[in-house]
Amino acid sequence: MNLYFVIWVKAFLDTIAYPINFFDFETFQNAIPRFDNQRPYAQMPFQYSLHILHEDGTLEHKEFLGDENSDPRLPLAKQMLKDITPTGSIVAYSQGFEKGKIRDLAALHENLNEDLLALNERFVDIAHPFQHKHYYHPKFNGRYSIKIVLPTLFPNDDELDYKKLGSVQNGGDAMDTFANLYLLKDESQKEHIRKDLLAYCRLDTLAMVRIWERLGEVVK
């Protein structure tokens, strides 16, 4: 890689502080609101995955998946504030989405407003080096979504292959699946779907961990 780009990638990585919280939301929509303070077609966060990388190399995983029969926003917000470390960076891929959902949660829950908005001050967008072409591969074809970057960087890694997942393989699957989950009567089917939802969201944050590691290898 060109030295100029290595310098830019290193400068980006230097903005990330331990413990590193790799974070991702999933949301759903309803045409007809089911809960109080829900607008038609509003993106409602119902799930998150969080991988926390500590400076000693320890990697831990935390997650939340809401109850499909009740408004997930308040329990999600409370658990998120417990799970994310009080210091260190929060890393997202295209951070505007996560920060926007946190602002929505803060506006809805005044008693959590200050703590939630404080999270947004700690975000770092790991899409930045790809968006600004500081790290580029011809197979990106000018795009930088995680669904493009990940298989390009790790073409033969089954652990990082979304196509190896179950019924939920992308954000659209997650959104539609959870929006309709409350309609299912078969509890065993529900449990299977919930496992698929957790596996999908977990891969989103694990993918960020592996991308961060790959960027680190570039600047060594």
Side-chain angles (χ1 to χ4, degrees):
M1 178 180 282
N2 185 293
L3 180 59
Y4 169 83
F5 296 115
V6 170
I7 291 171
W8 275 106
V9 171
K10 185 179 186 306
F12 167 76
L13 293 177
D14 286 345
T15 67
I16 300 176
Y18 289 100
I20 308 173
N21 296 261
F22 297 90
F23 185 80
D24 179 74
F25 276 130
E26 298 301 332
T27 61
F28 73 99
Q29 298 175 334
N30 293 126
I32 300 173
R34 296 176 54 211
F35 308 114
D36 292 341
N37 299 309
Q38 179 186 5
R39 300 186 309 277
Y41 297 107
Q43 291 181 319
M44 300 266 289
F46 69 90
Q47 178 181 13
Y48 66 75
S49 176
L50 172 67
H51 273 90
I52 304 172
L53 181 63
H54 298 272
E55 194 163 8
D56 64 1
T58 303
L59 182 66
E60 60 178 318
H61 181 245
K62 299 184 179 184
E63 60 192 359
F64 175 92
L65 177 57
D67 180 348
E68 65 275 8
N69 297 305
S70 60
D71 188 338
R73 290 173 292 180
L74 181 57
L76 179 149
K78 288 182 174 180
Q79 190 62 47
M80 177 178 63
L81 288 170
K82 291 179 181 178
D83 285 347
I84 293 176
T85 61
T87 61
S89 296
I90 305 171
V91 173
Y93 206 100
S94 296
Q95 65 179 0
F97 181 78
E98 273 66 33
K99 293 177 73 172
K101 295 307 106 189
I102 288 174
R103 284 193 296 270
D104 291 345
L105 291 170
L108 185 62
H109 305 296
E110 291 185 2
N111 59 321
L112 302 177
N113 181 282
E114 185 175 343
D115 291 337
L116 287 168
L117 291 180
L119 296 178
N120 276 358
E121 301 301 316
R122 297 163 53 195
F123 268 85
V124 179
D125 194 340
I126 200 168
H128 181 91
F130 308 104
Q131 180 182 8
H132 294 275
K133 296 182 172 58
H134 297 149
Y135 189 116
Y136 186 76
H137 191 287
K139 289 186 178 180
F140 293 168
N141 291 317
R143 297 173 291 174
Y144 62 90
S145 77
I146 198 168
K147 300 302 191 298
I148 296 295
V149 170
L150 188 67
T152 301
L153 298 185
F154 305 95
N156 300 307
D157 192 331
D158 286 350
E159 183 187 32
L160 301 176
D161 189 346
Y162 285 94
K163 294 179 181 178
K164 300 291 185 181
L165 296 173
S167 62
V168 180
Q169 298 186 353
N170 56 60
D173 289 343
M175 178 183 295
D176 293 341
T177 297
F178 188 83
N180 295 301
L181 192 57
Y182 75 102
L183 298 172
L184 284 179
K185 304 301 181 184
D186 187 327
E187 291 301 323
S188 64
Q189 187 180 1
K190 273 190 179 183
E191 184 61 26
H192 181 77
I193 288 172
R194 290 177 68 86
K195 288 180 180 178
D196 285 350
L197 285 165
L198 290 169
Y200 168 72
C201 199
R202 178 185 179 277
L203 180 50
D204 272 348
T205 52
L206 180 61
M208 286 187 268
V209 175
R210 300 301 178 229
I211 289 170
W212 177 86
E213 291 172 344
R214 178 59 56 87
L215 291 173
E217 292 171 3
V218 168
V219 303
K220 285 182 179 178

